[in-house]
């Protein structure tokens, strides 16, 4: 296990590039693999999770090659996968296992998909139940990975998901590509809609209203080249660092600003942050822009309800911002954080307490009272990339040395994180 020592800096300044959006990268690879011909993907993330999707698709007989800064995927159509020779390995990636399971449930073969220790502990009943009600059959022990998927014909369903999860919604929609008629998913709160947007780009018929989406099956996917924007979840670390460190100003180019993902911009703005959007454009149905953030005094705010899915991955870094905001910042309705790569509510509380912050963990969130000066501490990343990166930012403003244990896990979503950060830090 690697450890990284972080010492305080005065400010961050300059321009930074973030990896391609992880969620969009997974979808681009999966849809391209199902298209009737070759697709070129630009700006694809090189994150560990995305490599896991590539690895699984290769195991299913799909050719994926690097070609002058882009990735070429030879789609073989919806029925082109080959039975894998061994179990597919989704490693740490919930998106890989949950989205691919929707496709695998419709294949004319049996296969197994597994993951690392963290993934094996994450809930899979949420995808097994809807897939089985479509006629699929999946064996598991206690609804956890490894999953043994007995592929076969599926029929359309009208599914009311009880959890606000884009992974569940996407799993059912992908399975719906194989079912005759309209497969409909409703969710308790709107979640990221990259799957719907990209399916439309690939020519599928998508419909729906607020909190409901449907796909018309069986659908054929037209080969489409995709340009993946930068990942706002990766940009969030730099935005918060700029807000908190005096005299900071940071520009992040070509960041995806899909409305279902910009909760972090809304949250920071509500707390008084100055984040500007320029160079706004739209490509492949996904808006993008340059984000510029400058040092801003923050005040506390409360976040809950339907706002939570839009900030779900950014709550750990928002917690760091909250330690420097005046008043009580409240997060509620975020119980889903307990079943991410780690129990992120517990991980944030334990590590912030170690740094001297005032935090009270609740069943489905926390209350942070600020501002409090932070001091360096030994941080347990729990092998969770977003915890490691959030506490690296905390370490930049803490007095003394902060040690991030298990820092190598940042490669799961942001392989060049420490280098990119170093380049903009002003001592
Ligand atoms: C993701 C959806 C979210 C998010 C995860 C990526 C996706 O999970 O936390 O990092 O790409 O669909 P849930 O949809 O399960 O909340």
């Amino acid at each position: 296990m690697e450890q990284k020592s972080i010492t305080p800096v005065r400010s961050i300044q300059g321009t930074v590039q973030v990896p391609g959006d992880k969620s969009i990268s997974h979808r681009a690879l999966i849809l391209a693999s199902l298209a009737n011909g070759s697709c070129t993907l630009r700006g694809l993330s090189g994150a560990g999770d995305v490599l896991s999707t590539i690895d699984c698709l290769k195991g299913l007989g799909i050719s994926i090659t690097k070609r002058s800064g882009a990735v070429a995927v030879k789609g073989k159509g919806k029925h082109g996968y080959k039975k894998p020779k061994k179990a597919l390995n989704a490693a740490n990636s919930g998106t890989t296992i949950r989205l691919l399971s929707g496709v695998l449930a419709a294949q004319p073969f049996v296969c197994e998909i597994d993951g690392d220790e963290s993934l094996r502990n994450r809930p899979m009943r949420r995808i097994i139940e809807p897939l089985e009600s479509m006629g699929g059959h999946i064996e598991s022990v206690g609804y956890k990975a490894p999953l043994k998927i007995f592929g076969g014909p599926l029929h359309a369903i009208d599914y009311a998901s009880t959890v606000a999860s884009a992974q569940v919604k996407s799993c059912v929609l992908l399975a719906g590509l194989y079912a005759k008629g309209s497969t409909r998913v409703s969710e308790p709160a709107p979640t990221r809609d990259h799957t719907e947007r990209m399916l439309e780009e690939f020519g599928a018929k998508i419909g729906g209203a607020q909190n409901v989406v449907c796909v018309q099956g069986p659908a054929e996917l037209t080969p489409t080249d995709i340009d993946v924007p930068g990942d706002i979840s990766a940009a969030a670390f730099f935005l918060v660092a700029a807000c908190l460190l005096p005299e900071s100003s940071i520009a992040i180019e070509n960041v995806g600003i899909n409305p279902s993902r910009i909760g972090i911009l809304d949250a920071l703005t509500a707390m008084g942050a100055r984040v500007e959007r320029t160079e706004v454009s739209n490509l492949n149905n996904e808006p993008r822009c340059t984000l510029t953030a400058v040092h801003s005094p923050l005040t506390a705010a409360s976040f809950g309800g339907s706002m939570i899915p839009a900030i779900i991955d950014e709550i750990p870094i928002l917690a760091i911002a909250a330690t420097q905001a005046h008043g009580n910042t409240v997060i509620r309705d975020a119980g889903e954080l307990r079943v991410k790569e780690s129990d992120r509510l517990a991980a944030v509380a334990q590590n912030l307490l170690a740094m001297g912050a005032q935090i009270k963990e609740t069943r489905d969130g926390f209350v942070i009272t600020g501002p409090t000066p932070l001091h360096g501490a030994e941080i347990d990343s729990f092998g969770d990339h977003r915890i490691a990166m959030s506490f690296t930012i905390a370490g930049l403003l803490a007095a003394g040395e902060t040690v991030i244990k298990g820092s190598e896990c940042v490669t799961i979503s942001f392989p060049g994180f420490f280098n990119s950060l170093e380049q903009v830090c002003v001592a």
Side-chain angles (χ1 to χ4, degrees):
M1 200 164 66
E2 287 173 25
Q3 4 190 79
K4 194 91 185 165
S5 163
I6 311 293
T7 47
V9 300
R10 247 164 59 99
S11 67
I12 65 162
Q13 281 166 25
T15 302
V16 54
Q17 304 281 344
V18 290
D21 187 275
K22 187 157 78 72
S23 290
I24 298 177
S25 295
H26 287 295
R27 287 154 174 85
L29 285 159
I30 295 172
L31 295 197
S33 77
L34 300 173
N36 296 310
S38 293
C39 306
T40 302
L41 312 180
R42 291 191 181 79
L44 201 73
S45 166
D49 272 0
V50 175
L51 299 181
S52 297
T53 290
I54 292 180
D55 200 47
C56 289
L57 292 174
K58 284 184 172 171
L60 290 158
I62 299 298
S63 155
I64 302 174
T65 49
K66 277 207 173 136
R67 195 198 287 156
S68 51
V71 170
V73 181
K74 273 196 193 150
K76 297 209 295 187
K78 253 170 40 208
H79 300 283
Y81 285 178
K82 280 211 285 263
K83 179 179 164 63
K85 293 200 176 75
K86 55 181 178 87
L88 301 173
N89 183 6
N92 197 241
S93 176
T95 309
T96 305
I97 192 168
R98 295 201 178 107
L99 268 58
L100 265 186
S101 293
V103 182
L104 295 174
Q107 303 305 311
F109 52 73
V110 182
C111 76
E112 215 176 304
I113 185 159
D114 200 357
D116 67 8
E117 206 189 311
S118 154
L119 196 64
R120 281 181 166 200
N121 274 309
R122 297 181 64 186
M124 294 299 150
R125 186 174 191 150
R126 53 182 63 191
I127 56 156
I128 293 173
E129 281 186 351
L131 291 176
E132 295 212 314
S133 67
M134 294 179 85
H137 177 50
I138 298 176
E139 278 180 12
S140 69
V141 177
Y143 294 102
K144 300 274 170 77
L147 306 179
K148 191 167 185 184
I149 304 179
F150 297 78
L154 300 179
H155 54 81
I157 55 165
D158 191 342
Y159 187 64
S161 178
T162 53
V163 48
S165 163
Q167 294 180 349
V168 171
K169 173 177 64 177
S170 303
C171 168
V172 177
L173 291 177
L174 291 173
L177 295 175
Y178 293 83
K180 189 162 176 274
S182 178
T183 294
R184 218 164 151 268
V185 186
S186 66
E187 44 186 0
T191 62
R192 62 191 69 190
D193 62 358
H194 304 300
T195 303
E196 303 82 301
R197 285 171 180 255
M198 199 180 291
L199 277 171
E200 272 187 331
E201 280 289 283
F202 278 78
K205 281 208 183 75
I206 300 291
Q210 221 204 345
N211 295 15
V212 180
V213 57
C214 55
V215 63
Q216 206 60 36
E220 290 302 319
L221 301 183
T222 312
T224 306
D225 295 341
I226 296 290
D227 190 297
V228 181
D231 198 330
I232 193 165
S233 299
F237 301 108
F238 295 92
L239 297 177
V240 169
C243 289
L244 301 185
L245 293 162
E247 292 163 36
S248 291
S249 172
I250 196 88
I252 317 160
E253 291 168 347
N254 189 35
V255 182
I257 46 165
N258 175 315
S260 63
R261 291 287 299 285
I262 55 171
I264 184 64
L265 303 184
D266 297 338
L268 289 174
T269 305
M271 293 171 83
R274 285 176 295 155
V275 185
E276 242 184 53
R277 301 176 207 186
T278 52
E279 315 277 327
V280 181
S281 64
N282 196 309
L283 207 52
N284 296 130
N285 223 359
E286 289 284 356
R288 51 203 77 202
C289 75
T290 295
L291 292 175
T292 309
V294 293
H295 172 61
S296 327
L298 300 183
T299 47
S302 292
F303 307 105
S306 60
M307 161 81 166
I308 294 300
I311 49 169
I312 194 72
D313 291 337
E314 288 69 68
I315 291 173
I317 187 61
L318 199 55
I320 308 302
T323 67
Q324 304 309 309
H326 285 261
N328 291 334
T329 295
V330 182
I331 295 281
R332 59 170 78 89
D333 307 318
E336 271 296 296
L337 288 182
R338 298 213 181 271
V339 291
K340 293 293 179 189
E341 286 84 328
S342 69
D343 176 342
R344 287 184 174 158
L345 295 178
V348 163
Q350 176 185 312
N351 287 320
L352 273 185
L353 285 173
M355 296 185 84
Q358 283 189 52
I359 176 167
K360 197 172 156 295
E361 183 183 343
T362 61
R363 184 182 50 85
D364 62 353
F366 48 71
V367 180
I368 292 173
T369 306
T372 351
L374 301 180
H375 55 74
E378 208 169 77
I379 298 301
D380 191 341
S381 69
F382 296 94
D384 183 332
H385 53 124
R386 300 210 192 275
I387 298 299
M389 291 188 276
S390 299
F391 282 88
T392 298
I393 301 304
L396 298 181
L397 42 130
E401 187 193 24
T402 296
V403 176
I404 311 286
K405 286 172 22 194
S407 56
E408 71 280 2
C409 65
V410 303
T411 58
I412 284 296
S413 64
F414 196 160
F417 173 70
F418 291 112
N419 279 345
S420 298
L421 186 60
E422 229 166 78
Q423 275 164 27
V424 292
C425 281
V426 179

